[in-house]
Amino acid sequence: MVHGESGDGIGFAVVGADHLHLFSIVGGLVGGGARPVAHVESGDLIAGYASWQAGSEARTFDDVLADPDIDLVVTVGVPDERGAAAIAALEAGKPVLSAKPGVTTRDALHRIRELVADRPGRPWTVLFTERFENRATRRAIEMARAGAVGRIVHVTGTGPHTLAAESRPDWFFDPARSGGILVDLASHQADQFLALCGSAEPGGGVEVAAARVGNVACPDHPGMQDVGSMTLLAPGVVGEHRVDLLSPRGLATWGDVRLMVVGTDGTLEVRANVDVAGADGAEHLIVTDHEGVRRVDVSGDEASWADDLLADLADGGERLMTQDHVLTVCDLTLRAREVAVGWGTA
Amino acid sequence: MVHGESGDGIGFAVVGADHLHLFSIVGGLVGGGARPVAHVESGDLIAGYASWQAGSEARTFDDVLADPDIDLVVTVGVPDERGAAAIAALEAGKPVLSAKPGVTTRDALHRIRELVADRPGRPWTVLFTERFENRATRRAIEMARAGAVGRIVHVTGTGPHTLAAESRPDWFFDPARSGGILVDLASHQADQFLALCGSAEPGGGVEVAAARVGNVACPDHPGMQDVGSMTLLAPGVVGEHRVDLLSPRGLATWGDVRLMVVGTDGTLEVRANVDVAGADGAEHLIVTDHEGVRRVDVSGDEASWADDLLADLADGGERLMTQDHVLTVCDLTLRAREVAVGWGTA
């Protein structure tokens, strides 16, 4: 049952605990007023989770699905397990909040598409944290959509990450389990491009023009991918995206994530996590237009993904993003993986 | 005749004066010790040139070609006229220094390739000013080639420019005369990518994987191109390039030109003309590697293109760049134009 119009009091269960996103996602939900009712005892991080959220009870997945006090299933398992968890939850009538990537196979996406087709709102949410947890990225997208730099012409999105091989579980090095670098990491860039340039039609009018993956610095794991690129097109817009696991150790954060939007009347540039050799802190947004160059202070913006999500669950709304948006991002990254050629090859 | 081992005293003639690059090119030559012997009276800027270099005599092109005191023909004419000027000079046995683009057609490039094939040194030079007049760009390329960030994996080069339509001559709006935006503007990015990643084999091992051109903001000139993109590949390297005429009026310079080199061990970032919302001045080079983030001061570097060029002319060397480099850059941008599809289309 859903409690109140704001979604305050919604009960949730955690099914799968294999990525640190678990803590920011649950932190957001609890901060928004949701209740950690239960968790399934699986995943490398579940012990830490259980001690953090001591009110959450260990249950079987079947018990979770049968419990009417659980309004939302949260899955942060190994990527290739998230699709099955989401499908089971949706089949049991429960909405799902998944870490990205939401699915790693076409079959899983197809089944989820069937399950959400006739339901109101957004039963299946994938949280693209590089946007929803970064106020500069959110504000840049809002400004661009509102025409702040004229018509959008070109987008560059880059998502470098630290490899930190010693701290990664085995599944991280297996594309069959992680989904591969385009499905896993570039889902953020697909999300941002679609949010920037997508139309209201199903699929948003966005297509994949080219993609590449490679292994350039991980000889111990020859099957894994540590670099990927993806060209996305929208009507009148070209988007070039790069993801990698090459962030050097001298960087003060996990990745110098950037977003550059070129419009007919200016540019919006986001330096999401760090402004290298520049200003302190994170969430940098720089606007260059016909008036001049200026930084936009986003520190007063609400970081409200959980409020929007919980309100959406309460009333069947699509404030945070539409169901079609989620499906389309996953479709685009699967498509990119399907058409990807080797790094540096045509 | 060539005067001295340094090239000091080389006499040159200007044939074609239609772009402001004329003044920086001749300024460099004179600063390097070359002598402005003559000029042909053609081009919108020739009157200003003649009054600036009062020692230069007006001549016919035939007289220039016949004069043994002229060791170098400098052409900064309308782009589609530069190839013919270069061919005539090379046929007369005189080396050529051209503004970019050096040619706008395959036929002209083919003929020049024939003419330089059996001659030592680099009889045909095209000056790619975004590298040779920018010490941060030069240093970044030198560092990257020396392995400062490990093996190069990805390159992003962007060359936005101010449209300044009111100050542009008619030919600027006609791709048949300018060469189009990829041949004209993106020649800089092709030059930099080849300098970064090219091998010693003819053609440098670089190919064009994709290209796009469009007109997004110039409805009064529907035939012109104001945006272009180009994907270049080298073994193990993907290069994404964008050029445009969309620099907003609030930018303090003509273009926020950038170069980002991602290697297996760090990144080199050039903000060539301006560091928006950052440090003052131009020629910014930021290195991020396993040691940390730092700015590299390039203000003490020599801006020595003219010295290298004149020395090359004196002894048949290829210090500034090789003849094959010039030919390959022109081939790549012509190829990009040939394969280009419409903006935002697959």
Side-chain angles (χ1 to χ4, degrees), chain A residues 151 153-154 209 212 216 233 236 240 242 249-250 258 269 277 289-290 292 295 343 345, chain B residues 151 153-154 209 212 216 233 236 240 242 249-250 258 269 271 277 289-290 292 295 343 345:
Chain A
R151 278 182 299 115
V153 174
H154 192 278
R212 290 181 174 83
V216 298
L233 304 177
E240 297 292 357
R242 185 193 88 242
R249 287 186 294 276
R258 302 203 200 178
E269 179 173 6
D289 60 17
H290 297 313
R295 287 177 181 263
W343 194 251
T345 66
Chain B
R151 279 182 298 115
V153 175
H154 192 276
R212 292 184 172 81
V216 298
L233 304 179
E240 298 291 355
R242 184 194 86 242
R249 287 187 294 276
R258 301 203 201 177
E269 179 172 6
R271 301 173 187 169
D289 60 17
H290 296 312
R295 287 175 180 265
W343 193 251
T345 66

mmCIF file of all heavy atoms in Angstrom, chain A residues 151 153-154 209 212 216 233 236 240 242 249-250 258 269 277 289-290 292 295 343 345, chain B residues 151 153-154 209 212 216 233 236 240 242 249-250 258 269 271 277 289-290 292 295 343 345:
data_model
loop_
_atom_site.group_PDB
_atom_site.id
_atom_site.type_symbol
_atom_site.label_atom_id
_atom_site.label_comp_id
_atom_site.label_asym_id
_atom_site.label_seq_id
_atom_site.Cartn_x
_atom_site.Cartn_y
_atom_site.Cartn_z
ATOM 1 N N ARG A 151 18.769 26.330 -29.953
ATOM 2 C CA ARG A 151 18.527 24.922 -30.295
ATOM 3 C C ARG A 151 19.804 24.126 -30.035
ATOM 4 O O ARG A 151 20.901 24.565 -30.371
ATOM 5 C CB ARG A 151 18.110 24.790 -31.766
ATOM 6 C CG ARG A 151 16.635 25.079 -31.993
ATOM 7 C CD ARG A 151 16.237 24.901 -33.440
ATOM 8 N NE ARG A 151 16.982 25.815 -34.297
ATOM 9 C CZ ARG A 151 17.861 25.447 -35.219
ATOM 10 N NH1 ARG A 151 18.101 24.170 -35.444
ATOM 11 N NH2 ARG A 151 18.483 26.357 -35.937
ATOM 12 N N VAL A 153 22.650 21.591 -30.660
ATOM 13 C CA VAL A 153 23.301 21.145 -31.895
ATOM 14 C C VAL A 153 24.208 19.938 -31.640
ATOM 15 O O VAL A 153 24.256 19.002 -32.435
ATOM 16 C CB VAL A 153 24.136 22.302 -32.497
ATOM 17 C CG1 VAL A 153 24.943 21.832 -33.700
ATOM 18 C CG2 VAL A 153 23.221 23.469 -32.873
ATOM 19 N N HIS A 154 24.940 19.980 -30.547
ATOM 20 C CA HIS A 154 25.945 18.943 -30.288
ATOM 21 C C HIS A 154 26.062 18.727 -28.789
ATOM 22 O O HIS A 154 25.946 19.679 -28.007
ATOM 23 C CB HIS A 154 27.306 19.386 -30.846
ATOM 24 C CG HIS A 154 28.345 18.306 -30.897
ATOM 25 N ND1 HIS A 154 29.097 17.953 -29.804
ATOM 26 C CD2 HIS A 154 28.755 17.495 -31.908
ATOM 27 C CE1 HIS A 154 29.929 16.972 -30.150
ATOM 28 N NE2 HIS A 154 29.738 16.672 -31.421
ATOM 29 N N ALA A 209 24.275 5.712 -33.712
ATOM 30 C CA ALA A 209 24.926 5.747 -35.025
ATOM 31 C C ALA A 209 26.205 4.915 -35.058
ATOM 32 O O ALA A 209 26.578 4.395 -36.109
ATOM 33 C CB ALA A 209 25.242 7.188 -35.421
ATOM 34 N N ARG A 212 31.868 1.788 -29.971
ATOM 35 C CA ARG A 212 33.127 1.050 -29.932
ATOM 36 C C ARG A 212 33.422 0.643 -28.490
ATOM 37 O O ARG A 212 33.084 1.377 -27.563
ATOM 38 C CB ARG A 212 34.294 1.908 -30.448
ATOM 39 C CG ARG A 212 34.223 2.169 -31.916
ATOM 40 C CD ARG A 212 35.393 3.006 -32.427
ATOM 41 N NE ARG A 212 35.321 3.076 -33.876
ATOM 42 C CZ ARG A 212 34.564 3.930 -34.551
ATOM 43 N NH1 ARG A 212 33.832 4.799 -33.898
ATOM 44 N NH2 ARG A 212 34.550 3.899 -35.855
ATOM 45 N N VAL A 216 42.152 -1.517 -23.167
ATOM 46 C CA VAL A 216 43.427 -0.858 -23.466
ATOM 47 C C VAL A 216 44.415 -0.920 -22.316
ATOM 48 O O VAL A 216 45.600 -0.655 -22.512
ATOM 49 C CB VAL A 216 43.200 0.628 -23.873
ATOM 50 C CG1 VAL A 216 42.354 0.704 -25.134
ATOM 51 C CG2 VAL A 216 42.582 1.437 -22.735
ATOM 52 N N LEU A 233 22.277 10.034 -31.984
ATOM 53 C CA LEU A 233 21.695 11.088 -32.807
ATOM 54 C C LEU A 233 20.265 11.363 -32.374
ATOM 55 O O LEU A 233 19.507 10.439 -32.074
ATOM 56 C CB LEU A 233 21.670 10.660 -34.277
ATOM 57 C CG LEU A 233 22.994 10.251 -34.911
ATOM 58 C CD1 LEU A 233 22.742 9.800 -36.348
ATOM 59 C CD2 LEU A 233 23.997 11.384 -34.859
ATOM 60 N N GLY A 236 18.620 16.762 -35.579
ATOM 61 C CA GLY A 236 19.404 17.984 -35.520
ATOM 62 C C GLY A 236 20.513 17.990 -34.488
ATOM 63 O O GLY A 236 21.179 19.009 -34.303
ATOM 64 N N GLU A 240 28.340 12.776 -28.878
ATOM 65 C CA GLU A 240 29.504 11.892 -28.783
ATOM 66 C C GLU A 240 29.779 11.598 -27.313
ATOM 67 O O GLU A 240 29.875 12.531 -26.506
ATOM 68 C CB GLU A 240 30.732 12.551 -29.419
ATOM 69 C CG GLU A 240 30.584 12.829 -30.902
ATOM 70 C CD GLU A 240 30.540 11.569 -31.759
ATOM 71 O OE1 GLU A 240 30.684 10.459 -31.217
ATOM 72 O OE2 GLU A 240 30.349 11.713 -32.980
ATOM 73 N N ARG A 242 31.943 9.164 -24.363
ATOM 74 C CA ARG A 242 33.060 8.272 -24.034
ATOM 75 C C ARG A 242 32.944 7.859 -22.581
ATOM 76 O O ARG A 242 32.649 8.688 -21.711
ATOM 77 C CB ARG A 242 34.396 9.002 -24.218
ATOM 78 C CG ARG A 242 35.630 8.108 -24.007
ATOM 79 C CD ARG A 242 36.923 8.904 -23.869
ATOM 80 N NE ARG A 242 37.168 9.294 -22.492
ATOM 81 C CZ ARG A 242 37.235 10.536 -22.049
ATOM 82 N NH1 ARG A 242 37.081 11.555 -22.873
ATOM 83 N NH2 ARG A 242 37.450 10.799 -20.774
ATOM 84 N N ARG A 249 45.264 8.032 -10.900
ATOM 85 C CA ARG A 249 45.223 8.058 -9.433
ATOM 86 C C ARG A 249 45.401 9.448 -8.869
ATOM 87 O O ARG A 249 45.027 9.718 -7.725
ATOM 88 C CB ARG A 249 46.291 7.125 -8.873
ATOM 89 C CG ARG A 249 45.954 5.646 -9.052
ATOM 90 C CD ARG A 249 46.971 4.748 -8.347
ATOM 91 N NE ARG A 249 48.299 4.828 -8.947
ATOM 92 C CZ ARG A 249 48.697 4.120 -10.005
ATOM 93 N NH1 ARG A 249 47.869 3.274 -10.596
ATOM 94 N NH2 ARG A 249 49.921 4.241 -10.488
ATOM 95 N N GLY A 250 45.974 10.371 -9.650
ATOM 96 C CA GLY A 250 46.186 11.716 -9.146
ATOM 97 C C GLY A 250 44.942 12.583 -9.125
ATOM 98 O O GLY A 250 44.970 13.699 -8.604
ATOM 99 N N ARG A 258 32.058 14.923 -17.418
ATOM 100 C CA ARG A 258 31.698 16.209 -18.039
ATOM 101 C C ARG A 258 30.526 16.064 -19.008
ATOM 102 O O ARG A 258 30.265 15.001 -19.544
ATOM 103 C CB ARG A 258 32.889 16.790 -18.797
ATOM 104 C CG ARG A 258 34.088 17.002 -17.900
ATOM 105 C CD ARG A 258 35.007 18.019 -18.454
ATOM 106 N NE ARG A 258 36.333 17.877 -17.878
ATOM 107 C CZ ARG A 258 37.369 18.625 -18.214
ATOM 108 N NH1 ARG A 258 37.235 19.570 -19.149
ATOM 109 N NH2 ARG A 258 38.548 18.442 -17.652
ATOM 110 N N GLU A 269 28.370 23.961 -19.978
ATOM 111 C CA GLU A 269 29.400 22.982 -19.669
ATOM 112 C C GLU A 269 29.289 22.577 -18.209
ATOM 113 O O GLU A 269 29.309 23.428 -17.320
ATOM 114 C CB GLU A 269 30.786 23.571 -19.943
ATOM 115 C CG GLU A 269 31.889 22.589 -19.610
ATOM 116 C CD GLU A 269 33.274 23.084 -20.029
ATOM 117 O OE1 GLU A 269 33.380 24.238 -20.478
ATOM 118 O OE2 GLU A 269 34.227 22.307 -19.901
ATOM 119 N N ALA A 277 42.210 21.855 -11.927
ATOM 120 C CA ALA A 277 43.030 23.063 -11.967
ATOM 121 C C ALA A 277 42.177 24.327 -11.961
ATOM 122 O O ALA A 277 42.582 25.367 -12.479
ATOM 123 C CB ALA A 277 43.975 23.061 -13.173
ATOM 124 N N ASP A 289 27.259 32.481 -23.323
ATOM 125 C CA ASP A 289 26.212 32.850 -24.275
ATOM 126 C C ASP A 289 26.513 34.243 -24.831
ATOM 127 O O ASP A 289 27.634 34.743 -24.694
ATOM 128 C CB ASP A 289 24.823 32.756 -23.636
ATOM 129 C CG ASP A 289 24.670 33.673 -22.428
ATOM 130 O OD1 ASP A 289 25.498 34.604 -22.269
ATOM 131 O OD2 ASP A 289 23.737 33.458 -21.640
ATOM 132 N N HIS A 290 25.554 34.862 -25.448
ATOM 133 C CA HIS A 290 25.822 36.156 -26.070
ATOM 134 C C HIS A 290 26.100 37.254 -25.045
ATOM 135 O O HIS A 290 26.654 38.301 -25.376
ATOM 136 C CB HIS A 290 24.663 36.549 -26.993
ATOM 137 C CG HIS A 290 24.479 35.600 -28.137
ATOM 138 N ND1 HIS A 290 25.536 35.165 -28.912
ATOM 139 C CD2 HIS A 290 23.388 34.971 -28.618
ATOM 140 C CE1 HIS A 290 25.101 34.326 -29.836
ATOM 141 N NE2 HIS A 290 23.800 34.184 -29.674
ATOM 142 N N GLY A 292 27.924 36.706 -22.143
ATOM 143 C CA GLY A 292 29.225 36.543 -21.498
ATOM 144 C C GLY A 292 29.418 35.125 -20.994
ATOM 145 O O GLY A 292 28.730 34.208 -21.424
ATOM 146 N N ARG A 295 29.522 31.375 -14.160
ATOM 147 C CA ARG A 295 29.222 30.151 -13.426
ATOM 148 C C ARG A 295 27.839 30.263 -12.822
ATOM 149 O O ARG A 295 27.457 31.339 -12.344
ATOM 150 C CB ARG A 295 30.259 29.944 -12.319
ATOM 151 C CG ARG A 295 31.613 29.504 -12.860
ATOM 152 C CD ARG A 295 32.642 29.376 -11.744
ATOM 153 N NE ARG A 295 33.924 28.970 -12.292
ATOM 154 C CZ ARG A 295 34.365 27.707 -12.322
ATOM 155 N NH1 ARG A 295 33.627 26.735 -11.827
ATOM 156 N NH2 ARG A 295 35.525 27.420 -12.856
ATOM 157 N N TRP A 343 37.782 -1.253 -30.513
ATOM 158 C CA TRP A 343 38.361 0.073 -30.286
ATOM 159 C C TRP A 343 39.364 0.432 -31.403
ATOM 160 O O TRP A 343 40.270 -0.342 -31.696
ATOM 161 C CB TRP A 343 39.059 0.106 -28.932
ATOM 162 C CG TRP A 343 39.374 1.502 -28.500
ATOM 163 C CD1 TRP A 343 40.590 2.095 -28.424
ATOM 164 C CD2 TRP A 343 38.416 2.488 -28.115
ATOM 165 N NE1 TRP A 343 40.448 3.390 -28.006
ATOM 166 C CE2 TRP A 343 39.134 3.656 -27.814
ATOM 167 C CE3 TRP A 343 37.018 2.494 -28.007
ATOM 168 C CZ2 TRP A 343 38.499 4.826 -27.402
ATOM 169 C CZ3 TRP A 343 36.385 3.650 -27.598
ATOM 170 C CH2 TRP A 343 37.117 4.792 -27.293
ATOM 171 N N THR A 345 38.811 0.619 -34.514
ATOM 172 C CA THR A 345 38.527 0.028 -35.826
ATOM 173 C C THR A 345 37.268 0.666 -36.407
ATOM 174 O O THR A 345 36.447 1.218 -35.687
ATOM 175 C CB THR A 345 38.333 -1.494 -35.750
ATOM 176 O OG1 THR A 345 37.150 -1.780 -34.997
ATOM 177 C CG2 THR A 345 39.532 -2.152 -35.071
ATOM 178 N N ARG B 151 49.901 5.166 -23.247
ATOM 179 C CA ARG B 151 49.469 5.029 -24.630
ATOM 180 C C ARG B 151 48.222 5.862 -24.857
ATOM 181 O O ARG B 151 47.299 5.868 -24.024
ATOM 182 C CB ARG B 151 49.178 3.558 -24.957
ATOM 183 C CG ARG B 151 50.455 2.763 -25.265
ATOM 184 C CD ARG B 151 50.132 1.326 -25.624
ATOM 185 N NE ARG B 151 49.499 0.652 -24.524
ATOM 186 C CZ ARG B 151 48.255 0.179 -24.515
ATOM 187 N NH1 ARG B 151 47.495 0.304 -25.594
ATOM 188 N NH2 ARG B 151 47.754 -0.422 -23.462
ATOM 189 N N VAL B 153 44.639 6.802 -26.056
ATOM 190 C CA VAL B 153 43.440 5.988 -26.243
ATOM 191 C C VAL B 153 42.346 6.763 -26.976
ATOM 192 O O VAL B 153 41.653 6.223 -27.834
ATOM 193 C CB VAL B 153 42.920 5.505 -24.869
ATOM 194 C CG1 VAL B 153 41.604 4.769 -25.016
ATOM 195 C CG2 VAL B 153 43.961 4.631 -24.176
ATOM 196 N N HIS B 154 42.184 8.012 -26.605
ATOM 197 C CA HIS B 154 41.066 8.808 -27.142
ATOM 198 C C HIS B 154 41.493 10.264 -27.250
ATOM 199 O O HIS B 154 42.225 10.763 -26.394
ATOM 200 C CB HIS B 154 39.855 8.695 -26.205
ATOM 201 C CG HIS B 154 38.574 9.219 -26.786
ATOM 202 N ND1 HIS B 154 38.236 10.550 -26.748
ATOM 203 C CD2 HIS B 154 37.550 8.596 -27.421
ATOM 204 C CE1 HIS B 154 37.041 10.708 -27.331
ATOM 205 N NE2 HIS B 154 36.605 9.541 -27.739
ATOM 206 N N ALA B 209 36.427 7.553 -40.053
ATOM 207 C CA ALA B 209 35.359 6.574 -39.802
ATOM 208 C C ALA B 209 33.978 7.152 -40.043
ATOM 209 O O ALA B 209 33.053 6.426 -40.390
ATOM 210 C CB ALA B 209 35.463 6.046 -38.375
ATOM 211 N N ARG B 212 30.109 14.410 -40.487
ATOM 212 C CA ARG B 212 28.794 15.034 -40.650
ATOM 213 C C ARG B 212 28.977 16.532 -40.862
ATOM 214 O O ARG B 212 29.890 17.124 -40.289
ATOM 215 C CB ARG B 212 27.913 14.815 -39.407
ATOM 216 C CG ARG B 212 27.505 13.382 -39.212
ATOM 217 C CD ARG B 212 26.555 13.182 -38.031
ATOM 218 N NE ARG B 212 26.072 11.810 -38.062
ATOM 219 C CZ ARG B 212 26.751 10.764 -37.594
ATOM 220 N NH1 ARG B 212 27.917 10.941 -37.023
ATOM 221 N NH2 ARG B 212 26.253 9.552 -37.694
ATOM 222 N N VAL B 216 22.958 24.908 -39.172
ATOM 223 C CA VAL B 216 22.002 24.955 -38.064
ATOM 224 C C VAL B 216 21.590 26.374 -37.690
ATOM 225 O O VAL B 216 20.612 26.553 -36.980
ATOM 226 C CB VAL B 216 22.557 24.222 -36.821
ATOM 227 C CG1 VAL B 216 22.786 22.742 -37.123
ATOM 228 C CG2 VAL B 216 23.831 24.890 -36.303
ATOM 229 N N LEU B 233 40.343 7.619 -36.838
ATOM 230 C CA LEU B 233 40.884 6.458 -36.134
ATOM 231 C C LEU B 233 42.360 6.302 -36.440
ATOM 232 O O LEU B 233 42.787 6.473 -37.579
ATOM 233 C CB LEU B 233 40.164 5.184 -36.581
ATOM 234 C CG LEU B 233 38.646 5.145 -36.447
ATOM 235 C CD1 LEU B 233 38.117 3.815 -36.977
ATOM 236 C CD2 LEU B 233 38.218 5.357 -35.010
ATOM 237 N N GLY B 236 44.380 1.751 -32.246
ATOM 238 C CA GLY B 236 44.165 1.863 -30.808
ATOM 239 C C GLY B 236 43.656 3.194 -30.328
ATOM 240 O O GLY B 236 43.526 3.400 -29.124
ATOM 241 N N GLU B 240 37.431 12.099 -31.802
ATOM 242 C CA GLU B 240 36.169 12.761 -32.133
ATOM 243 C C GLU B 240 36.417 14.259 -32.243
ATOM 244 O O GLU B 240 36.996 14.852 -31.334
ATOM 245 C CB GLU B 240 35.103 12.488 -31.064
ATOM 246 C CG GLU B 240 34.727 11.020 -30.905
ATOM 247 C CD GLU B 240 33.978 10.475 -32.108
ATOM 248 O OE1 GLU B 240 33.663 11.244 -33.042
ATOM 249 O OE2 GLU B 240 33.722 9.248 -32.116
ATOM 250 N N ARG B 242 34.913 18.203 -33.523
ATOM 251 C CA ARG B 242 33.773 19.068 -33.878
ATOM 252 C C ARG B 242 34.300 20.438 -34.251
ATOM 253 O O ARG B 242 35.199 20.975 -33.578
ATOM 254 C CB ARG B 242 32.834 19.228 -32.676
ATOM 255 C CG ARG B 242 31.566 20.031 -33.014
ATOM 256 C CD ARG B 242 30.814 20.464 -31.760
ATOM 257 N NE ARG B 242 31.318 21.719 -31.227
ATOM 258 C CZ ARG B 242 31.859 21.867 -30.046
ATOM 259 N NH1 ARG B 242 31.974 20.854 -29.210
ATOM 260 N NH2 ARG B 242 32.295 23.062 -29.647
ATOM 261 N N ARG B 249 28.647 35.461 -28.779
ATOM 262 C CA ARG B 249 29.273 36.787 -28.732
ATOM 263 C C ARG B 249 29.831 37.123 -27.354
ATOM 264 O O ARG B 249 30.709 37.977 -27.227
ATOM 265 C CB ARG B 249 28.250 37.852 -29.158
ATOM 266 C CG ARG B 249 27.945 37.842 -30.650
ATOM 267 C CD ARG B 249 27.065 39.022 -31.064
ATOM 268 N NE ARG B 249 25.732 38.948 -30.498
ATOM 269 C CZ ARG B 249 24.712 38.254 -31.018
ATOM 270 N NH1 ARG B 249 24.892 37.553 -32.133
ATOM 271 N NH2 ARG B 249 23.537 38.235 -30.437
ATOM 272 N N GLY B 250 29.355 36.425 -26.334
ATOM 273 C CA GLY B 250 29.857 36.716 -24.987
ATOM 274 C C GLY B 250 31.219 36.122 -24.688
ATOM 275 O O GLY B 250 31.807 36.417 -23.646
ATOM 276 N N ARG B 258 39.633 23.502 -27.967
ATOM 277 C CA ARG B 258 40.146 22.569 -26.953
ATOM 278 C C ARG B 258 40.691 21.289 -27.587
ATOM 279 O O ARG B 258 40.309 20.904 -28.694
ATOM 280 C CB ARG B 258 39.041 22.188 -25.973
ATOM 281 C CG ARG B 258 38.468 23.393 -25.259
ATOM 282 C CD ARG B 258 37.831 23.015 -23.964
ATOM 283 N NE ARG B 258 36.892 24.051 -23.559
ATOM 284 C CZ ARG B 258 36.136 23.965 -22.479
ATOM 285 N NH1 ARG B 258 36.216 22.893 -21.709
ATOM 286 N NH2 ARG B 258 35.300 24.941 -22.172
ATOM 287 N N GLU B 269 44.921 18.163 -21.244
ATOM 288 C CA GLU B 269 43.832 19.007 -21.720
ATOM 289 C C GLU B 269 44.357 20.374 -22.095
ATOM 290 O O GLU B 269 44.987 21.044 -21.268
ATOM 291 C CB GLU B 269 42.766 19.136 -20.631
ATOM 292 C CG GLU B 269 41.619 20.022 -21.060
ATOM 293 C CD GLU B 269 40.453 20.018 -20.087
ATOM 294 O OE1 GLU B 269 40.585 19.413 -19.006
ATOM 295 O OE2 GLU B 269 39.422 20.638 -20.410
ATOM 296 N N ARG B 271 43.246 24.123 -23.286
ATOM 297 C CA ARG B 271 42.242 25.159 -23.534
ATOM 298 C C ARG B 271 43.020 26.257 -24.257
ATOM 299 O O ARG B 271 43.683 27.083 -23.632
ATOM 300 C CB ARG B 271 41.615 25.611 -22.222
ATOM 301 C CG ARG B 271 40.949 24.430 -21.491
ATOM 302 C CD ARG B 271 40.438 24.749 -20.108
ATOM 303 N NE ARG B 271 39.987 23.515 -19.450
ATOM 304 C CZ ARG B 271 39.672 23.416 -18.163
ATOM 305 N NH1 ARG B 271 39.745 24.494 -17.383
ATOM 306 N NH2 ARG B 271 39.280 22.264 -17.648
ATOM 307 N N ALA B 277 35.708 30.857 -17.389
ATOM 308 C CA ALA B 277 35.436 30.897 -15.950
ATOM 309 C C ALA B 277 36.609 30.373 -15.140
ATOM 310 O O ALA B 277 36.434 29.848 -14.043
ATOM 311 C CB ALA B 277 34.154 30.110 -15.616
ATOM 312 N N ASP B 289 47.546 13.117 -13.980
ATOM 313 C CA ASP B 289 48.181 11.802 -14.091
ATOM 314 C C ASP B 289 48.190 11.140 -12.717
ATOM 315 O O ASP B 289 47.471 11.573 -11.809
ATOM 316 C CB ASP B 289 49.573 11.909 -14.718
ATOM 317 C CG ASP B 289 50.515 12.781 -13.908
ATOM 318 O OD1 ASP B 289 50.221 13.052 -12.714
ATOM 319 O OD2 ASP B 289 51.549 13.198 -14.458
ATOM 320 N N HIS B 290 49.004 10.116 -12.555
ATOM 321 C CA HIS B 290 48.976 9.403 -11.288
ATOM 322 C C HIS B 290 49.540 10.249 -10.144
ATOM 323 O O HIS B 290 49.307 9.956 -8.968
ATOM 324 C CB HIS B 290 49.735 8.082 -11.420
ATOM 325 C CG HIS B 290 49.094 7.142 -12.403
ATOM 326 N ND1 HIS B 290 47.738 6.863 -12.393
ATOM 327 C CD2 HIS B 290 49.603 6.427 -13.439
ATOM 328 C CE1 HIS B 290 47.449 6.017 -13.356
ATOM 329 N NE2 HIS B 290 48.556 5.746 -14.030
ATOM 330 N N GLY B 292 48.979 13.660 -9.829
ATOM 331 C CA GLY B 292 48.071 14.727 -9.441
ATOM 332 C C GLY B 292 47.598 15.526 -10.643
ATOM 333 O O GLY B 292 47.693 15.076 -11.784
ATOM 334 N N ARG B 295 48.934 22.510 -13.796
ATOM 335 C CA ARG B 295 49.028 23.307 -15.013
ATOM 336 C C ARG B 295 50.480 23.354 -15.462
ATOM 337 O O ARG B 295 51.382 23.480 -14.634
ATOM 338 C CB ARG B 295 48.524 24.730 -14.779
ATOM 339 C CG ARG B 295 47.007 24.802 -14.633
ATOM 340 C CD ARG B 295 46.537 26.202 -14.291
ATOM 341 N NE ARG B 295 45.097 26.228 -14.174
ATOM 342 C CZ ARG B 295 44.258 26.574 -15.148
ATOM 343 N NH1 ARG B 295 44.735 26.969 -16.331
ATOM 344 N NH2 ARG B 295 42.961 26.543 -14.968
ATOM 345 N N TRP B 343 23.808 16.571 -40.939
ATOM 346 C CA TRP B 343 23.893 16.721 -39.488
ATOM 347 C C TRP B 343 22.732 16.004 -38.799
ATOM 348 O O TRP B 343 21.580 16.201 -39.161
ATOM 349 C CB TRP B 343 23.854 18.205 -39.120
ATOM 350 C CG TRP B 343 24.253 18.434 -37.698
ATOM 351 C CD1 TRP B 343 23.451 18.803 -36.662
ATOM 352 C CD2 TRP B 343 25.572 18.273 -37.155
ATOM 353 N NE1 TRP B 343 24.194 18.878 -35.513
ATOM 354 C CE2 TRP B 343 25.488 18.559 -35.780
ATOM 355 C CE3 TRP B 343 26.799 17.902 -37.709
ATOM 356 C CZ2 TRP B 343 26.602 18.495 -34.946
ATOM 357 C CZ3 TRP B 343 27.905 17.839 -36.884
ATOM 358 C CH2 TRP B 343 27.797 18.134 -35.508
ATOM 359 N N THR B 345 21.998 12.909 -38.924
ATOM 360 C CA THR B 345 21.500 11.722 -39.625
ATOM 361 C C THR B 345 22.554 10.626 -39.566
ATOM 362 O O THR B 345 23.734 10.894 -39.368
ATOM 363 C CB THR B 345 21.156 12.026 -41.095
ATOM 364 O OG1 THR B 345 22.358 12.351 -41.799
ATOM 365 C CG2 THR B 345 20.186 13.181 -41.183
#
